[in-house]
């Protein structure tokens, strides 16, 4: 099974509320929606981020837009006001999600 | 059929005024909303106001937007709603009044909405049994009582709508929810009732797509950032609504892009549960919404639904948490990362010997892993032949003196550490760390009022 970056089939944006980061992830083509649904589960995303995300990850599906919203708690090192990270607002959390490696079936993309 | 066009003029305090001025010059809108407040902005403003009572609002609204195009907006009957009042609504109103007088804008009506700042009401609310539970963390509100900078409730559109109905040409608020600045003119123009949930939700989502300025028109655009025309003249988004349509576009003769993907990226931005996006005005459901390209730079948003608004309002309490120091040193090829890491080890050994008591220490390497942290590529291949690397050490402590200890230890490493260390940006300084206590407050604890000052 070929391995690709999520970035190859998806796009999105990250935002912050306190120490919670949300990343919306949209399929670049409608047929990629089901790949993302299968490959980017909250469990896999948590395993990918490890210590970077300390709280719960919830996935909301929005099929009418061909996308998902991932809400990650305690993900910003304390949040905009307290975080010691360079990117305290998690502006780069969106691209961090996109570098997750995912599996696709032959011929799926 | 009546159509209202409203533009997003500012995405945050410090944003470029260019797109807002352009929209006014083009005259393609009837209303503009200018958002200045992020989560921590009010705490920063409160701190400024403590030092100088004349401060505490976003003067840029007057100095960078109104001075350039305020009179033209008034002449063209473009009305502007803004939360630039921050912690000092009166100060902002006075600044606008002085400006309008200097421009001979006789009859200009400055509307303003008071009542979002409830700090003085906290003791009574506590006495009445309201506990101000923290959404994010455990903790007792009493522990931060003597460290509070500000307590502001996110208020909805009603006060702004009332000021508009009183004839306001500009409306200034404190912590009105960003999207309420946009919903208010729409509700006023279309006569939406306060329980017309579906329409209120449409207005909120129009605001949601505009409140971040350029981010709604091709800024911060992951799908195809290279394909955004004229990013140096980025236009900001404009929403056009009728009683049953909701479209997004932008001003003519400027850069940026309005397409399905650019609108989608902003649509879920900072939304949590798409079926329950809570705002002071309505609980918005966008879980079945649609976004359809109608033509060049024109998109239609459909199926936005609303449910009754929450009983409580979100309250943001900003308080003093402690102190931090951020120090950096840069290193060049060869072995840039290895040298930077070794240098960090040397500094930390020295600090341990000096007995620095930090509550938290964060070390990262700019150019390598300071953004993507644990998921950055740290393979041998990525490290080999790295041209340069910046060591960054951030220290947090509740004790200011502990944070200061590291400052004199950085620059000596240019002579005393691994080869080629370069110190830049001047000596670090200890910065205050403010924190937010996100909680709620009952609606009836607030006394929201609309006022008018005529020039």
């Amino acid at each position: 099974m070929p391995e690709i970056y999520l970035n190859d089939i998806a796009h999105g944006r990250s935002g912050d509320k306190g120490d919670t980061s949300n990343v919306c992830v949209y399929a670049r083509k409608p047929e990629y929606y089901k790949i993302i649904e299968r490959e980017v589960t909250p469990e896999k995303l948590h395993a990918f981020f490890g210590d970077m995300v300390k709280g719960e990850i919830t996935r909301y599906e929005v099929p009418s837009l061909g996308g998902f919203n991932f809400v990650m708690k305690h993900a910003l090192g304390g949040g905009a006001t307290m975080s010691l990270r360079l990117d305290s607002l998690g502006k780069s959390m969106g691209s961090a999600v996109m570098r997750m490696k995912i599996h696709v079936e032959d011929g799926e993309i | 059929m009546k159509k209202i066009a409203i533009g997003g003029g500012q995405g945050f305090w410090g944003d470029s005024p260019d797109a807002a001025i352009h929209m006014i010059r083009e005259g393609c809108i009837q209303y503009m909303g200018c958002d200045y407040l992020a989560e921590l902005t009010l705490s920063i403003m409160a701190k400024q106001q403590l030092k100088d009572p004349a401060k505490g609002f976003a003067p840029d609204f007057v100095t960078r937007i109104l001075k350039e195009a305020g009179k033209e907006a008034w002449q063209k009957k473009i009305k502007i709603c803004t939360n630039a009042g921050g912690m000092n609504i009166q100060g902002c109103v006075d600044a606008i009044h002085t400006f309008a007088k200097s421009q001979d804008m006789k009859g200009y009506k400055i509307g303003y909405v008071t009542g979002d700042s409830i700090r003085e009401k906290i003791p009574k609310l506590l006495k009445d049994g309201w506990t101000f539970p923290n959404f994010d963390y455990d903790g007792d509100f009493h522990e931060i009582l003597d460290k509070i900078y500000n307590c502001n409730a996110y208020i909805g559109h009603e006060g702004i709508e009332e000021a508009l109905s009183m004839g306001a040409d500009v409306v200034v608020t404190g912590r009105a929810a960003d999207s309420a600045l946009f919903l208010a003119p729409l509700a006023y123009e279309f006569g939406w009732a306060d329980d017309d949930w579906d329409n209120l939700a449409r207005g909120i989502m129009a605001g949601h797509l505009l409140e971040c300025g350029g981010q709604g028109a091709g800024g911060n655009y992951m799908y195809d950032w290279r394909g955004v025309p004229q990013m140096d003249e980025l236009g900001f988004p404009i929403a056009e609504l009728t009683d049953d349509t909701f479209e997004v576009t932008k001003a003519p003769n400027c850069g940026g892009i309005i397409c399905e993907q650019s609108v989608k990226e902003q649509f879920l931005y900072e939304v949590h549960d798409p079926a329950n996006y809570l705002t002071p005005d309505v609980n918005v459901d966008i879980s079945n919404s649609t976004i359809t390209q109608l033509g060049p730079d024109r998109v239609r948003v459909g199926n936005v639904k609303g449910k009754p608004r929450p009983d409580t309002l979100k309250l943001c309490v900003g308080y003093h948490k402690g102190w931090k120091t951020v120090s950096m040193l840069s290193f060049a090829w060869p072995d840039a990362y290895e040298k930077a890491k070794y240098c960090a080890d040397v500094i930390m050994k020295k600090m341990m010997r000096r007995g620095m008591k930090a509550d938290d220490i964060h070390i990262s390497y700019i150019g390598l892993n300071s953004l993507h942290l644990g998921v950055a590529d740290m393979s041998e291949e990525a490290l080999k032949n790295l041209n340069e690397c910046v060591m960054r050490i951030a220290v947090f402590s509740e004790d200011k003196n502990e944070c200061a200890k590291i400052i004199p230890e950085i620059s000596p490493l240019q002579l005393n550490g691994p080869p080629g260390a370069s110190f830049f940006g001047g000596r670090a300084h200890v910065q205050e760390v403010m924190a937010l206590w996100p909680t709620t407050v009952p609606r009836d604890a607030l006394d929201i009022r609309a006022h008018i000052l005529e020039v």
Side-chain angles (χ1 to χ4, degrees):
Chain A
M1 251 194 323
E3 203 182 42
I4 60 167
Y5 282 116
L6 176 60
N7 191 49
D8 296 331
I9 61 162
H11 67 106
R13 176 172 293 171
S14 49
D16 69 296
K17 287 268 181 263
D19 201 14
T20 301
S21 173
N22 93 290
V23 178
C24 54
V25 175
Y26 294 100
R28 281 182 180 266
K29 289 181 180 173
E31 58 267 34
Y32 298 159
Y33 180 85
K34 63 178 193 309
I35 304 176
I36 301 171
E37 186 176 39
R38 181 188 71 218
E39 293 293 320
V40 192
T41 62
E43 296 73 28
K44 286 182 183 174
L45 199 57
H46 223 155
F48 170 70
F49 273 123
D51 258 6
M52 250 175 99
V53 175
K54 298 198 190 309
E56 183 191 4
I57 297 181
T58 308
R59 181 177 88 175
Y60 298 97
E61 292 100 34
V62 191
S64 60
L65 297 176
F68 303 83
N69 195 28
F70 292 90
V71 179
M72 308 187 281
K73 289 191 169 170
H74 305 308
L76 297 171
T81 62
M82 284 163 58
S83 178
L84 294 181
R85 295 181 187 176
L86 180 70
D87 181 19
S88 57
L89 299 171
K91 295 286 181 197
S92 59
M93 287 298 275
S95 62
V97 168
M98 294 299 158
R99 73 187 303 162
M100 186 176 169
K101 291 266 183 70
I102 60 168
H103 295 283
V104 291
E105 308 286 348
D106 288 321
E108 207 170 22
I109 61 166
Chain B
M1 184 180 279
K2 185 173 188 174
K3 185 174 85 174
I4 296 297
I6 180 166
Q10 294 278 278
F12 68 104
W13 189 16
D15 204 352
S16 163
D18 295 355
I21 294 164
H22 177 76
M23 263 185 229
I24 293 169
R25 298 256 152 88
E26 289 283 338
C28 51
I29 49 171
Q30 291 118 302
Y31 289 91
M32 180 186 285
C34 291
D35 172 32
Y36 286 88
L37 305 180
E39 280 191 304
L40 189 63
T41 316
L42 286 172
S43 308
I44 296 166
M45 288 173 165
K47 202 178 149 185
Q48 286 185 348
Q49 199 184 13
L50 276 180
K51 284 187 188 156
D52 179 355
K55 292 188 173 172
F57 65 98
D60 330 26
F61 175 64
V62 186
T63 60
R64 301 189 78 197
I65 292 186
L66 289 189
K67 272 196 180 151
E68 285 294 324
K71 190 167 185 178
E72 190 173 340
W74 180 54
Q75 286 162 342
K76 289 178 172 171
K77 298 190 171 27
I78 297 169
K79 301 184 175 196
I80 307 176
C81 301
T82 180
N83 52 19
M87 290 302 295
N88 186 1
I89 295 165
Q90 193 59 53
C92 188
V93 168
D94 290 346
I96 295 171
H97 189 261
T98 304
F99 154 78
K101 249 187 136 170
S102 75
Q103 297 288 308
D104 296 322
M105 292 162 66
K106 200 164 168 41
Y108 187 64
K109 285 187 176 172
I110 306 165
Y112 57 104
V113 181
T114 55
D116 63 297
S117 175
I118 60 153
R119 193 173 170 185
E120 73 286 357
K121 295 184 177 191
I122 298 292
K124 167 126 191 355
L125 284 160
L126 280 168
K127 213 173 140 201
D128 291 348
W130 195 262
T131 59
F132 301 98
N134 191 315
F135 295 157
D136 285 347
Y137 292 96
D138 296 333
D140 185 342
F141 191 67
H142 287 92
E143 287 166 19
I144 65 157
L145 272 182
D146 59 344
K147 301 176 192 165
I148 289 174
Y149 276 116
N150 71 292
C151 298
N152 295 74
Y154 282 75
I155 61 171
H157 75 288
E158 294 105 322
I160 308 167
E161 183 179 350
E162 192 183 340
L164 290 170
S165 72
M166 290 154 81
D169 296 297
V170 61
V171 183
V172 178
T173 72
R175 183 61 279 187
D178 309 349
S179 47
L181 300 171
F182 302 86
L183 168 60
L186 296 167
Y188 168 63
E189 289 285 347
F190 292 112
W192 294 336
D194 286 348
D195 61 353
D196 186 351
W197 307 121
D198 285 349
N199 272 323
L200 295 181
R202 290 200 306 135
I204 285 291
M205 287 315 289
H208 180 79
L209 290 173
L210 305 184
E211 74 192 29
C212 293
Q215 213 171 244
N220 189 18
Y221 178 43
M222 195 190 284
Y223 179 76
D224 179 23
W225 62 270
R226 291 182 187 87
V228 177
Q230 295 159 266
M231 215 182 259
D232 58 304
E233 294 180 293
L234 195 80
F236 285 6
I238 293 170
E240 294 180 356
L241 279 88
T242 67
D243 250 329
D244 51 26
T245 62
F246 168 7
E247 294 174 13
V248 185
T249 184
K250 66 183 183 68
N253 307 312
C254 62
I257 191 167
I258 302 289
C259 65
E260 181 193 328
Q261 290 83 2
S262 70
V263 174
K264 268 159 74 169
E265 286 190 16
Q266 184 61 19
F267 203 65
L268 289 176
Y269 175 75
E270 293 182 352
V271 169
H272 288 176
D273 178 358
N276 293 287
Y277 178 37
L278 293 176
T279 77
D281 292 300
V282 55
N283 179 2
V284 181
D285 180 356
I286 48 172
S287 61
N288 293 297
S289 293
T290 55
I291 291 171
T292 317
Q293 187 95 38
L294 294 184
D297 292 319
R298 184 166 288 275
V299 156
R300 176 165 289 183
V301 179
N303 211 18
V304 172
K305 298 291 176 192
K307 296 180 276 191
R309 66 187 196 183
D311 293 332
T312 55
L313 293 172
K314 182 176 167 183
L315 182 71
C316 248
V317 180
Y319 65 100
H320 170 84
K321 181 76 180 175
W323 305 91
K324 74 172 174 185
T325 308
V326 178
S327 314
M328 293 184 281
L329 269 176
S330 60
F331 292 87
W333 184 93
D335 309 315
Y337 168 63
E338 194 184 341
K339 289 173 190 163
K341 192 167 183 305
Y342 195 89
C343 183
D345 290 345
V346 169
I347 292 169
M348 291 324 296
K349 275 184 187 161
K350 278 174 170 268
M351 297 326 297
M352 291 309 120
R353 206 175 302 136
R354 295 211 192 290
M356 178 179 75
K357 293 185 197 70
D359 297 303
D360 194 12
I361 298 170
H362 178 75
I363 301 174
S364 66
Y365 300 91
I366 298 175
L368 249 188
N369 68 351
S370 61
L371 297 173
H372 281 178
L373 305 170
V375 301
D377 179 4
M378 297 293 281
S379 65
E380 216 169 290
E381 202 180 335
L383 300 179
K384 199 174 80 181
N385 275 329
L386 197 62
N387 280 316
E388 55 202 39
C389 183
V390 179
M391 173 209 78
R392 179 182 183 273
I393 303 180
V395 176
F396 169 80
S397 174
E398 289 184 9
D399 183 343
K400 193 174 183 179
N401 294 323
E402 294 300 324
C403 270
K405 281 182 181 172
I406 196 170
I407 293 172
E409 302 294 346
I410 304 299
S411 63
L413 267 293
Q414 292 178 103
L415 307 189
N416 305 347
S422 171
F423 181 64
F424 63 98
R427 267 196 162 199
H429 55 277
V430 180
Q431 301 162 262
E432 183 176 10
V433 173
M434 290 186 277
L436 290 175
W437 185 280
T439 183
T440 59
V441 66
R443 278 179 189 273
D444 58 13
L446 272 73
D447 181 17
I448 304 295
R449 285 174 196 269
H451 320 258
I452 293 279
L453 176 66
E454 190 170 333
V455 177

